[in-house]
Amino acid sequence: MADAQVELHGPAHGEGPPRRHGPVARVAVLSDVHANIPAFDAVLAEPDVARADFVVLCGDLTWGPEPQETYERILGLGERALCLRGNADRYAAGIGTAALTADTPRQAWIAERHSPEAIAFLDRLAFGLVVEIEGLGPVHFCHGSPRSDHELVTPGTPSERFAELSAAIDGRVLVTGHSHLQFDRAVAGLRSVNPGSVGLPYHTGEPGTAYWALLGPDVSLRTSRYDVEDAIARARAAVDPDAERYSDTLVNAPDPEKIVAEAERLIFVN
């Protein structure tokens, strides 16, 4: 059960219910890019991504070493890109519009590296959306959960909490991000899917692996290889205040089992 004292970060005031799209045959799902341009470029170059009817981006897009470049890549996708707000996007937009005050040098640094247009883009991102996909029906997409962009859904989320957080969705498939863990599981009578993180995954695979998913007519969990040393070099060249910690995460990713245990203990993490 959600703690009544936790502040939920759901749809923006006046946003209304999730917009609906489709029906379409194929949707590529990318989440938690975290401004890792080499990883993002590698996934965008995949033939199945290039051919997809839509590219759904499940939040935490520009919070990383190259925010503006990430925004420009998204613009290049045109109307195929359906973008959602992650908790990091909420922070970047809040700091960039002076609605929030940066708590750390990196928070200020990231916000400053967005153009006014990029900040405005983040500020109007949708909280959730629904796409009718061949073979899957209506699929609900969000960053954290359908009730807050900072609620963690993992492979270990108990059926009781999952049933509670998904109670209002239309469809049998819920796609979330935020946990940086790739999975596809049946729980509480629904299908819980996370494409994993493109730019900062938690995994046991080789460094330089980006995670994503292709939906329609079923769920296909995918990976793409990219030059991790290039990503590290770009973070350092950008003078990202968090470049060393970021780089260490790219080459020494956290253990998924530990992440699941910590996430299920905390439940809500910004």
Side-chain angles (χ1 to χ4, degrees):
M1 302 289 287
D3 189 331
Q5 296 181 342
V6 172
E7 179 184 2
L8 299 181
H9 299 282
H13 179 70
E15 185 174 339
R19 290 187 179 181
R20 304 183 70 90
H21 303 266
V24 296
R26 303 289 182 274
V27 172
V29 191
L30 286 59
S31 189
D32 298 276
V33 173
H34 282 284
N36 181 336
I37 288 294
F40 196 22
D41 283 347
V43 176
L44 292 179
E46 292 282 359
D48 281 337
V49 176
R51 288 192 295 259
D53 297 291
F54 289 124
V55 178
V56 176
L57 293 149
C58 285
D60 281 11
L61 308 175
T62 64
W63 193 272
E66 298 188 87
Q68 184 65 23
E69 292 83 355
T70 303
Y71 164 69
E72 290 167 2
R73 296 294 199 280
I74 295 169
L75 286 186
L77 293 171
E79 294 184 355
R80 293 174 63 233
L82 302 178
C83 300
L84 297 175
R85 184 193 86 212
N87 57 303
D89 306 309
R90 169 168 50 83
Y91 266 93
I95 296 167
T97 59
L100 297 174
T101 300
D103 294 323
T104 69
R106 193 185 194 225
Q107 290 182 4
W109 181 89
I110 287 176
E112 289 167 358
R113 275 148 185 81
H114 289 75
S115 66
E117 294 78 11
I119 290 293
F121 164 79
L122 295 181
D123 199 38
R124 62 176 181 265
L125 287 175
F127 174 73
L129 59 87
V130 176
V131 182
E132 181 84 25
I133 304 174
E134 178 183 306
L136 295 171
V139 178
H140 189 106
F141 297 85
C142 57
H143 179 67
S145 81
R147 58 188 180 184
S148 183
D149 65 28
H150 77 315
E151 182 170 10
L152 288 154
V153 178
T154 79
T157 297
S159 59
E160 180 183 12
R161 180 163 73 88
F162 189 86
E164 180 187 358
L165 67 87
S166 63
I169 74 168
D170 172 20
R172 310 309 300 170
V173 182
L174 172 62
V175 179
T176 59
H178 192 38
S179 71
H180 295 214
L181 300 167
Q182 188 184 70
F183 61 86
D184 176 11
R185 71 186 289 238
V187 56
L190 299 179
R191 193 168 186 175
S192 176
V193 176
N194 190 314
S197 171
V198 170
L200 207 61
Y202 302 155
H203 61 96
T204 57
E206 290 294 318
T209 304
Y211 292 74
W212 57 287
L214 185 70
L215 274 56
D218 202 348
V219 175
S220 178
L221 300 179
R222 304 290 186 89
T223 61
S224 300
R225 298 289 299 159
Y226 73 95
D227 186 345
V228 68
E229 293 303 326
D230 183 31
I232 292 170
R234 293 172 76 120
R236 290 171 175 162
V239 199
D240 181 344
D242 206 25
E244 295 313 310
R245 187 174 70 88
Y246 170 87
S247 300
D248 183 64
T249 302
L250 291 181
V251 296
N252 299 294
D255 178 78
E257 290 187 6
K258 293 180 179 179
I259 292 296
V260 169
E262 183 71 356
E264 292 303 326
R265 182 181 70 83
L266 297 172
I267 301 178
F268 295 92
V269 173
N270 267 311

